[in-house]
Amino acid sequence: MVTNTAARKAGSVIREYHQGEYLIDREEYLTALNAVGEYRRSFYTPMVKVNCGLRSFCKTLGLEATVTQRLKLQSTIIDKLLRLPGTDLSRLQDIAGCRVVLSSIDDVYSLRDHIINKWDVIKEDNYIKQKRASGYRSLHLVVKNSGKRVEIQIRTKIMHEWALLAEEFSDRDMKNYKQDGDSTVQDFLRVVSDIYEYQEINPNLIDTVELRELLGRYSKAKSLLGQEGKDNG
C-alpha cells in the first residue's frame, strides 16, 4: 500500500522530472508513476462504498436520482501536478468522485443535509448559492471513507444539462470551458447558465424584464458565437 508520504514523494519526483529541476533517472521516474497508479487504485473501494451509500440515502429520502462514480485518470492527475506546482498528491480532494443528479434544488439540499448528518464531511463548496464565474453550478462535498477523501457532486438535471453542454464545447475545442475565462464560448455558457438558473427559480417562466434581458443577452452571445465559428471556418 502506498502511504500518503510515499504518494507525496512520488508526485514531487514526477513534477521535478518533467520540469528538469534536477537529474532523476528513468527508473526512479517509472517507480514514481507506478506508485501514483497504486495510490489511485486505493481509492476504488471507498468510492464504491460512497456510491452505494448515496443510492441508499436517496432511496430512504424518496428521491429520484442518477448516481455515478469515477476515478480520475492517472494522466489527469499527473497533468494537475504539473499545472499546479504547489499541489500535494496526498491532499487531492477529487481522485475519487461520485455524482448525484436530482430533480430539484430542494432535493439537492435534502440529500446534502442527510449526508452531513450521517458521514464525516470535511469540506463543502456551494456553487449553487454562489455559482462560478464560468456559470458552473453544483454542490460539492468531500467526505472521508476508510481514510480516503471522496468528492460528491450533487446537482439538478438542469445543472447537469449545462455541464454536458460545457463538456461538448470543451471536447470540440480541446479546452476546459468549465474553468473561469472570457472566451466567446464561455460568455455564451454564462448566459445559458443564467437562463437555466432563472428557469429553476421561476419554473412557469413568467415574462419579466429580467427574462427579456436574459434572452437579449442570449441572442447576442449566440450571434457572436456563430460569427466566431464562421471566422474560424
Side-chain angles (χ1 to χ4, degrees), residues 29 81 91 127 139 147 193:
Y29 173 68
L81 291 173
R91 299 191 64 80
Y127 299 119
L139 191 145
S193 176

Side-chain angles (χ1 to χ4, degrees), residues 1-232:
M1 185 180 81
V2 178
T3 64
N4 286 342
T5 300
R8 189 180 306 118
K9 180 180 178 183
S12 296
V13 167
I14 290 170
R15 182 186 298 114
E16 289 164 3
Y17 179 86
H18 281 274
Q19 293 176 344
E21 292 181 5
Y22 72 87
L23 294 177
I24 297 176
D25 62 40
R26 182 75 176 169
E27 185 176 346
E28 185 178 1
Y29 173 68
L30 293 176
T31 298
L33 283 179
N34 289 334
V36 171
E38 185 179 343
Y39 184 68
R40 171 184 174 272
R41 288 190 293 274
S42 70
F43 284 79
Y44 180 78
T45 298
M47 176 185 68
V48 171
K49 289 180 180 178
V50 170
N51 184 318
C52 292
L54 290 169
R55 292 171 186 271
S56 176
F57 290 167
C58 290
K59 185 176 181 180
T60 297
L61 296 169
L63 303 178
E64 178 187 336
T66 300
V67 185
T68 56
Q69 65 185 37
R70 69 99 182 97
L71 278 181
K72 189 181 284 292
L73 294 172
Q74 182 165 333
S75 58
T76 307
I77 294 172
I78 292 171
D79 178 65
K80 192 167 188 176
L81 291 173
L82 300 179
R83 282 189 299 106
L84 305 173
T87 302
D88 178 349
L89 176 59
S90 69
R91 299 191 64 80
L92 283 184
Q93 310 275 7
D94 60 349
I95 291 177
C98 293
R99 177 181 297 145
V100 187
V101 179
L102 298 163
S103 298
S104 70
I105 293 177
D106 286 344
D107 288 353
V108 169
Y109 284 113
S110 292
L111 180 58
R112 175 251 185 207
D113 293 344
H114 196 73
I115 291 170
I116 287 175
N117 285 333
K118 297 291 185 179
W119 285 345
D120 178 17
V121 176
I122 60 176
K123 186 179 180 184
E124 177 177 7
D125 289 307
N126 192 334
Y127 299 119
I128 298 175
K129 186 177 292 184
Q130 185 62 52
K131 67 181 172 186
R132 295 188 58 161
S134 64
Y136 177 81
R137 299 166 65 221
S138 185
L139 191 145
H140 292 195
L141 300 173
V142 178
V143 300
K144 265 199 171 182
N145 185 290
S146 305
K148 300 293 186 182
R149 295 179 178 87
V150 179
E151 182 185 68
I152 302 170
Q153 298 177 359
I154 313 173
R155 61 177 64 154
T156 64
K157 293 177 181 178
I158 289 179
M159 295 172 197
H160 189 55
E161 185 177 325
W162 180 92
L164 292 176
L165 179 63
E167 287 175 7
E168 186 177 321
F169 277 112
S170 297
D171 290 344
R172 185 196 71 177
D173 298 344
M174 301 298 289
K175 297 179 181 178
N176 186 359
Y177 287 127
K178 286 184 185 179
Q179 298 299 320
D180 301 338
D182 296 311
S183 70
T184 304
V185 171
Q186 286 163 312
D187 288 343
F188 175 75
L189 288 171
R190 269 190 289 273
V191 178
V192 173
S193 176
D194 289 344
I195 292 174
Y196 282 178
E197 183 178 16
Y198 183 91
Q199 182 180 343
E200 285 197 299
I201 297 171
N202 305 279
N204 295 323
L205 286 180
I206 299 171
D207 185 20
T208 64
V209 172
E210 183 182 1
L211 178 58
R212 289 196 292 273
E213 188 270 336
L214 283 171
L215 293 176
R217 286 174 53 208
Y218 174 81
S219 179
K220 181 179 179 181
K222 187 177 181 182
S223 176
L224 290 172
L225 188 65
Q227 186 59 50
E228 183 180 81
K230 290 179 183 178
D231 293 342
N232 292 336

